[in-house]
Amino acid sequence: GAGVSQSPSNKVTEKGKDVELRCDPISGHTALYWYRQSLGQGLEFLIYFQGNSAPDKSGLPSDRFSAERTGGSVSTLTIQRTQQEDSAVYLCASSRSALSGNTIYFGEGSWLTVV
Amino acid sequence: GQNIDQPTEMTATEGAIVQINCTYQTSGFNGLFWYQQHAGEAPTFLSYNVLDGLEEKGRFSSFLSRSKGYSYLLLKELQMKDSASYLCAVRPIDSGAGSYQLTFGKGTKLSVIP
């Protein structure tokens, strides 16, 4: 597509429920990133994919968080048993490859509120 | 570890010039990015520096000194629409494990006043 597309754009969920966030990167981009931005905070790296593999999962905050990417395109970020501290904007980004200098383009984000 | 510092907030007058500084201490360095983020929106790419010096792009310029771990974003002829957060992000050195993520500062909230 023309840009990075994320869905849902807004999600309100009850504490303890599972949520799934979807990211469709720019066509042809092999690198895909998930970031989290809590209110008033900087962007926090979560996970990075090169193709379908995730060489770096170091940013996932707990084992309740998982992500996968299939077909080298769409990625889903799953949060199990959501907690209130999971409330944040989850930003997906993609780049042509993970090589230096490739600009990272962001989607509009999925705004998650856990009540 | 990675540490990136930027001022939290700045205010400048429409038509003026403002310089937003960023200092970093990272385990490696493979480029520095500046992003603009309007409230409630996704970050958008502004500039990329990997070599020392000044990169100019219209009203925006970005400077890098790798030896000092320092960068700045210069905005000229400020407009009201430039009111936004400006994020400095560093890409650590490529490793065999493939750690290519950007590490972001907390951002500088710029308010442009008439």
Side-chain angles (χ1 to χ4, degrees), chain B:
Chain B
Q2 328 283 358
N3 190 41
I4 299 175
D5 287 313
Q6 314 177 226
T8 306
E9 294 185 59
M10 297 182 73
T11 302
T13 307
E14 191 176 14
I17 298 173
V18 71
Q19 178 175 312
I20 303 174
N21 295 325
C22 171
T23 57
Y24 62 89
Q25 292 138 3
T26 57
S27 55
F29 179 82
N30 211 14
L32 185 144
F33 293 76
W34 282 96
Y35 283 82
Q36 179 190 61
Q37 187 177 26
H38 285 100
E41 298 182 13
T44 56
F45 170 78
L46 289 179
S47 68
Y48 169 69
N49 295 69
V50 66
L51 299 176
D52 291 349
L54 189 69
E55 296 278 343
E56 296 187 76
K57 192 184 292 185
R59 294 189 299 115
F60 291 21
S61 303
S62 57
F63 171 83
L64 175 68
S65 168
R66 288 171 295 171
S67 62
K68 296 180 180 176
Y70 168 69
S71 172
Y72 67 73
L73 180 69
L74 193 71
L75 292 78
K76 303 175 188 175
E77 300 166 19
L78 279 174
Q79 302 175 10
M80 299 299 289
K81 67 178 182 180
D82 296 331
S83 293
S85 286
Y86 291 85
L87 309 174
C88 174
V90 172
R91 177 167 251 167
I93 202 161
D94 293 351
S95 71
S99 178
Y100 299 110
Q101 81 275 17
L102 291 180
T103 300
F104 283 84
K106 287 187 164 47
T108 299
K109 184 178 178 183
L110 174 66
S111 299
V112 180
I113 58 176

Side-chain angles (χ1 to χ4, degrees), chain A residues 33 35 37 41-43 45 48 55-56 91 98-104 106-108 111, chain B residues 30 33 35 37 40-43 45 48 87 91 94 97-102 104-106:
Chain A
Y33 311 79
Y35 289 87
Q37 188 172 33
Q41 300 296 313
L43 278 92
F45 169 79
Y48 142 76
D56 192 343
L91 288 160
L99 293 176
S100 307
N102 278 283
T103 301
I104 296 178
F106 285 85
E108 294 296 315
W111 297 68
Chain B
N30 211 14
F33 293 76
Y35 283 82
Q37 187 177 26
E41 298 182 13
F45 170 78
Y48 169 69
L87 309 174
R91 177 167 251 167
D94 293 351
S99 178
Y100 299 110
Q101 81 275 17
L102 291 180
F104 283 84
K106 287 187 164 47

